[in-house]
Amino acid sequence: AEHQHSRYNPLRDDWVLVSAHRVKRPWQGQLEKPPPEDVPRWDPNNPLCPGATRANGEVNPQYEGTFVFPNDFPALQPDAPEPDDSDHPLFRAAPARGVCKVMCFHPWSDLTLPLMSLAEIRAVIDAWAELATELGASYPWVQIFENKGAMMGCSNPHPHCQVWASSFLPNEARLEDRTQRQHLSQHGVPMLVEYAEQEARRKERLVVENADWLVVVPYWATWPYQTLLLPRRHVCRLQDLKEGERDSLASIMKRLLIKYDNLFEVSFPYSMGWHGAPTGPHLEEDCRHWQLHAHYYPPLLRSATVRKFMVGYEMLAQAQRDLTPEQAAERLRSLPEVHYKQRDK
């Protein structure tokens, strides 16, 4: 805990430098503005609200639950042309096609997942699974991800996520496919199934758990309060979850996100996303090496206004963190599971 050392990340086949003593250094760098607390429940100028007009002129329905629509500014389109042939191996290009969707979690802009009911979170999980099934029928990769907070690039204060389906396996997916396949071949058990069993027994990096799920600050975490959400059962894809597992997933997500908000008593920013076995043509392949999991990457380090920057050494050498995963897990684990906004209630 007091001396620097490196830790190996078997999921990404790389290393992170742990320098816990650096968290004690004084900070005179950039301070972030806390997110606004007075977000209106409905704003006609917010393109994600029910009844609002979006940039393309379409008017949202008066939705009352989840609402999915095509991204008005998609990074991937299904009919993109083939790139020109390369005249040199150092200048390669490949086709990239797909679709991008936006999913609103709730009609109210002043809510976030930790403040939603378990039934409302369960509806989000069901919508995720439906999209993963629908888009995964033809696309090899379906990336569900949420950027929460302006600090993480979220441009609209409304509970929502994005879903991008691509004609190719992105870098992180290809990397995790390789490392998990190698682990199963060498050890005879899926990597993250074995890892979850180890963390459940050791408990030093455990944040929350229930009968079906556990959340840990991974041994190899790079971001200060990064967490990994894992099922206890071997599950390849989100759409493979049983009814009870979806209920318990809603519960553990709410508990984790309440702890995040309670850490600095702020609507905690993060980027999160689901990783599971590839789909499309891979549905007919043996994907037993895969284990479903969700990554949470929050940037905050010391307070609601001081974030961790991945610059300098991190960009040019390797990732580095300023407190141990065990310290981060202990702090998160000790936080109450009643949201700070609801304590008086």
Side-chain angles (χ1 to χ4, degrees):
E2 295 298 325
H3 302 285
Q4 68 268 15
H5 60 281
S6 291
R7 297 191 182 191
Y8 180 63
N9 181 347
L11 195 57
R12 299 196 75 258
D13 189 23
D14 64 10
W15 293 80
V16 56
L17 174 62
V18 182
S19 309
H21 56 282
R22 278 172 51 85
V23 79
K24 300 174 184 177
R25 74 192 191 280
W27 180 260
Q28 294 182 340
Q30 179 176 329
L31 298 179
E32 302 288 344
K33 292 183 178 180
E37 296 286 341
D38 57 347
V39 175
R41 180 155 291 182
W42 184 84
D43 181 355
N45 296 315
N46 187 330
L48 300 183
C49 283
T53 302
R54 302 204 308 275
N56 62 358
E58 292 191 23
V59 178
N60 295 335
Q62 295 292 340
Y63 65 92
E64 297 181 352
T66 59
F67 169 51
V68 178
F69 62 92
N71 194 313
D72 296 328
F73 303 96
L76 293 164
Q77 296 178 326
D79 54 357
E82 293 275 339
D84 294 334
D85 292 335
S86 173
D87 62 355
H88 192 281
L90 293 179
F91 301 93
R92 296 166 59 191
R97 302 185 179 93
V99 296
C100 298
K101 295 182 179 291
V102 176
M103 186 176 94
C104 296
F105 298 154
H106 196 280
W108 295 356
S109 293
D110 57 343
L111 284 188
T112 55
L113 281 171
L115 294 170
M116 289 166 53
S117 70
L118 289 177
E120 290 166 338
I121 299 173
R122 168 64 196 265
V124 170
I125 294 167
D126 288 339
W128 282 342
E130 290 172 12
L131 278 173
T133 301
E134 173 193 338
L135 298 174
S138 53
Y139 286 102
W141 189 256
V142 180
Q143 184 59 66
I144 298 167
F145 65 98
E146 179 193 3
N147 294 325
K148 183 184 175 217
M151 195 183 303
M152 301 309 294
C154 180
S155 56
N156 294 296
H158 191 94
H160 70 287
C161 73
Q162 298 189 54
V163 183
W164 294 11
S166 61
S167 61
F168 55 91
L169 287 186
N171 292 342
E172 293 298 313
R174 286 191 292 108
L175 182 56
E176 289 193 2
D177 185 70
R178 175 176 64 81
T179 58
Q180 291 180 97
R181 189 184 299 275
Q182 288 174 345
H183 188 93
L184 180 64
S185 174
Q186 294 172 4
H187 302 281
V189 60
M191 177 197 296
L192 292 181
V193 172
E194 182 176 11
Y195 179 68
E197 292 172 350
Q198 286 289 321
E199 289 288 30
R201 180 174 60 82
R202 297 169 185 256
K203 296 191 181 302
E204 58 189 331
R205 285 170 295 274
L206 192 66
V207 178
V208 286
E209 65 178 330
N210 61 26
D212 300 313
W213 301 87
L214 69 157
V215 176
V216 300
V217 177
Y219 176 80
W220 52 79
T222 55
W223 293 94
Y225 292 97
Q226 173 182 336
T227 54
L228 185 63
L229 171 57
L230 293 161
R232 296 182 186 272
R233 181 176 70 90
H234 185 200
V235 184
C236 286
R237 301 178 177 92
L238 189 64
Q239 52 268 45
D240 297 335
L241 294 176
K242 300 175 182 178
E243 289 290 313
E245 291 169 332
R246 295 187 184 194
D247 287 337
S248 57
L249 174 57
S251 173
I252 205 163
M253 283 175 55
K254 185 176 176 72
R255 293 170 62 197
L256 169 65
L257 297 180
I258 286 175
K259 285 180 178 289
Y260 269 162
D261 281 10
N262 284 344
L263 179 60
F264 299 129
E265 295 199 347
V266 68
S267 184
F268 206 69
Y270 58 74
S271 284
M272 71 80 64
W274 285 99
H275 283 174
T279 50
H282 303 280
L283 290 170
E284 304 302 320
E285 298 176 359
D286 183 358
C287 290
R288 288 176 299 164
H289 55 290
W290 269 93
Q291 171 72 326
L292 176 70
H293 58 282
H295 296 282
Y296 284 84
Y297 298 125
L300 293 180
L301 172 59
R302 298 163 178 252
S303 69
T305 60
V306 178
R307 65 176 295 179
K308 165 71 176 178
F309 289 91
M310 290 292 186
V311 295
Y313 188 86
E314 291 89 350
M315 295 178 72
L316 296 166
Q318 70 179 40
Q320 179 268 332
R321 61 179 292 117
D322 296 335
L323 76 165
T324 68
E326 293 75 27
Q327 291 168 335
E330 182 179 10
R331 187 165 183 189
L332 288 173
R333 188 168 54 243
S334 66
L335 291 167
E337 295 188 10
V338 176
H339 198 277
Y340 72 93
K341 289 185 176 181
Q342 298 176 329
R343 285 176 192 159
D344 293 341
K345 299 178 182 179

